[in-house]
Amino acid sequence: MKQTLYLMRHGQTLFNQQKKIQGWCDSPLTELGKEQAKMAAQYFVDNQITLESAYASTSERTADTLELITDLPYRRVKGLKEWNFGKLEGEHEYLNPSLPYGDFFADFGGELELEFRERVSSTILDLMQKETHQNVLMVSHGASCRQFMRSWAHTSDLTHEGRLGNCCILKFEFKDDSFKLLEIINPTL
C-alpha cells in the first residue's frame, strides 16, 4: 500500500523570535507561529487533502501547531523530538557552529548527529509501518525534518539547502518500507 507522509516543522516560537537555541527545551508559539500553522492548514484544505492520522513530538510547540491544523486525535511521540543540544539549550544562536553541525553538541552533553538521525528515522519508519491510513501528518522540528531528509536522500532527486522554514511541509511517499521526498511546501511564503 502506498501512503503519503506530511512531515512538518512547527510554527515560529518565542525562542525562534529571540534567536535562542531550542531543542529539547520548549517555548510557546508566537502570534506569527499560530498564523503560520493556520496557513499550513489552509494548504491541506486548498489541495483537498484529507488528513487521516496525526502525530506530534512531545514538545508543546509541535502539539500546538498540530491542533491549529487539524481536529484529529493525535499521539505525542518522544522519538519525534528535536535534537538535544545539551548545555546550549536556551542559549543564543550565535553559539551555533556553521551548518552542518556534525557532533558539535555532543561536547555539551547533547546528541551525536547520527544517533539523532537514527532516532528520528527509526521512529518515523516504525510509525508508518504500523499506520493503516493513507494521509499521515507528523509535526516535528527543523533539524528533525532535515535529518529525516538526509536518511532518505538516496531515494529522491529533490534537495534543499539551508534551514527549513517554520511550518514547512515535506511530502513523502511511503511504499515498501521506503520513503521518497516528492515535494517541499512552504505555505507561509
Side-chain angles (χ1 to χ4, degrees):
M1 175 170 115
K2 186 168 73 171
Q3 297 163 290
T4 304
L5 166 64
Y6 296 94
L7 180 61
M8 183 177 154
R9 183 182 177 205
H10 59 80
Q12 184 196 61
T13 66
L14 180 64
F15 275 16
N16 291 152
Q17 190 178 56
Q18 294 175 345
K19 307 271 188 237
K20 291 192 175 189
I21 298 171
Q22 180 178 228
W24 283 19
C25 69
D26 209 359
S27 70
L29 294 179
T30 61
E31 288 307 311
L32 174 59
K34 293 173 186 175
E35 287 304 312
Q36 290 169 331
K38 290 174 187 174
M39 285 185 249
Q42 193 59 47
Y43 162 81
F44 293 108
V45 170
D46 291 347
N47 289 280
Q48 300 176 349
I49 298 164
T50 302
L51 297 170
E52 300 164 288
S53 187
Y55 302 84
S57 88
T58 52
S59 299
E60 176 184 317
R61 61 194 185 263
T62 60
D64 288 351
T65 298
L66 188 146
E67 290 172 9
L68 289 166
I69 293 170
T70 181
D71 291 332
L72 283 173
Y74 64 96
R75 192 169 130 209
R76 296 177 74 179
V77 181
K78 286 183 181 181
L80 295 175
K81 281 177 76 166
E82 181 60 291
W83 202 328
N84 179 350
F85 297 123
K87 293 176 184 172
L88 293 179
E89 294 277 347
E91 297 295 332
H92 198 279
E93 285 183 357
Y94 68 73
L95 295 172
N96 278 338
S98 299
L99 290 170
Y101 294 151
D103 291 334
F104 176 81
F105 298 104
D107 291 339
F108 298 92
E111 287 178 284
L112 295 167
E113 181 178 16
L114 292 181
E115 286 178 2
F116 165 53
R117 183 182 302 169
E118 175 57 26
R119 170 175 59 82
V120 172
S121 297
S122 63
T123 296
I124 293 173
L125 177 61
D126 181 60
L127 291 170
M128 290 301 291
Q129 285 173 330
K130 294 173 182 170
E131 187 57 60
T132 59
H133 295 98
Q134 177 63 41
N135 292 316
V136 179
L137 173 66
M138 293 186 193
V139 182
S140 190
H141 307 269
S144 300
C145 292
R146 169 69 64 204
Q147 291 296 330
F148 187 73
M149 285 174 66
R150 287 191 178 132
S151 290
W152 293 97
H154 63 282
T155 62
S156 177
D157 297 330
L158 250 131
T159 60
H160 180 275
E161 300 302 320
R163 293 180 183 264
L164 297 171
N166 291 106
C167 288
C168 178
I169 303 165
L170 306 174
K171 180 180 178 180
F172 287 92
E173 175 186 278
F174 179 66
K175 185 179 178 185
D176 300 326
D177 289 341
S178 183
F179 292 90
K180 180 178 181 180
L181 181 60
L182 302 176
E183 190 176 358
I184 300 172
I185 303 127
N186 287 297
T188 64
L189 295 181

